[in-house]
Amino acid sequence: MTNRGENLTAAVVYESMFGNCEKVARQIAAGMATGVPVKVVDVADAVADPSLLDDVDLVVAGGPTHSMSMSRPGTRAEAVQRSGGTVPARNVGLREWCVALPDHAEGTGPRWVTTFDTRTALGRAIPSSASRAAARIITRKGYEMLVPLKSFLVEDAAGPLVDGHMEQAYVWGESIAAALRAKAPLTV
Ligand SMILES: Cc1cc2nc3c(=O)[nH]c(=O)nc-3n(C[C@H](O)[C@H](O)[C@H](O)COP(=O)(O)O)c2cc1C
């Protein structure tokens, strides 16, 4: 029998304040799971223990778009404030993970990456986003984008996701798994 992708594995790493990006991350992972083994990791855990990603070939990393980029300590504090304190404070986000990531040449972890974000429908005309900012940092470190980055839209800062975007996340996940499996050497 001929197989592809038997040994390739992936992780979805996410940051989320209001919960929308986490929902998208889990939906992407569900789509990916149709083709490759995948785990879902909170970015705070990935920063605390980088070895969590040592055994994966691909990382799909995402977070909310704050001020046209990845979150910063100040924007995360603003999110907590805007929620009236119902959203828990976060010390680290996608930006801190990207910055802490070793150069690909030095690391033992993934070879491929791609990035995603959530952002409001109002900002859709503006190309700047968390996924774009994250991809810029990660690719400079020598990681290869497996598929182009993607944004998912929320109605407002707290959500919900725009109709159809959860479904898009699943389909995107399926396409990522197919792209990863195509990278695997054929085994007979
Ligand atoms: C401080 C702050 C700044 C934001 N800036 C932007 C922005 O520049 N563009 C945009 O489309 N959405 C912006 N948003 C909306 C967020 O993208 C939205 O809250 C996020 O995608 C929801 O994801 P989450 O539920 O995972 O936190 C901002 C939200 C906050 C709290």
Side-chain angles (χ1 to χ4, degrees):
M1 202 168 89
T2 302
N3 275 317
R4 270 190 189 275
E6 287 297 307
N7 300 314
L8 292 179
T9 63
V12 180
V13 174
Y14 72 91
E15 172 194 350
S16 190
M17 297 293 302
F18 294 95
N20 299 282
C21 222
E22 177 174 359
K23 280 186 194 154
V24 167
R26 294 191 183 283
Q27 192 73 352
I28 292 167
M32 290 171 68
T34 59
V36 291
V38 57
K39 58 184 169 185
V40 181
V41 181
D42 186 310
V43 77
D45 297 331
V47 170
D49 182 4
S51 73
L52 284 175
L53 303 177
D54 276 355
D55 62 344
V56 299
D57 302 286
L58 163 73
V59 173
V60 180
T65 298
H66 281 182
S67 300
M68 296 190 290
S69 186
M70 292 182 279
S71 75
R72 296 177 183 277
T75 65
R76 292 194 290 269
E78 198 182 323
V80 173
Q81 201 181 16
R82 281 201 208 175
S83 77
T86 57
V87 157
R90 294 186 69 111
N91 293 329
V92 294
L94 184 60
R95 180 185 299 275
E96 287 77 5
W97 178 76
C98 290
V99 170
L101 196 65
D103 281 353
H104 173 58
E106 295 163 19
T108 52
R111 168 172 173 192
W112 294 286
V113 293
T114 191
T115 59
F116 68 98
D117 62 69
T118 50
R119 54 196 303 211
T120 56
L122 274 180
R124 84 169 87 193
I126 303 165
S128 312
S129 65
S131 60
R132 197 169 284 255
R136 201 176 304 127
I137 294 179
I138 300 171
T139 54
R140 275 194 198 136
K141 293 188 176 197
Y143 298 87
E144 202 180 310
M145 289 290 275
L146 181 68
V147 299
L149 55 81
K150 189 158 172 69
S151 289
F152 299 91
L153 298 181
V154 289
E155 300 273 4
D156 207 345
L161 281 146
V162 168
D163 271 358
H165 283 249
M166 281 292 273
E167 292 76 7
Q168 282 188 26
Y170 186 90
V171 171
W172 193 57
E174 286 180 316
S175 72
I176 292 169
L180 185 58
R181 288 176 69 86
K183 294 286 188 187
L186 280 171
T187 56
V188 180

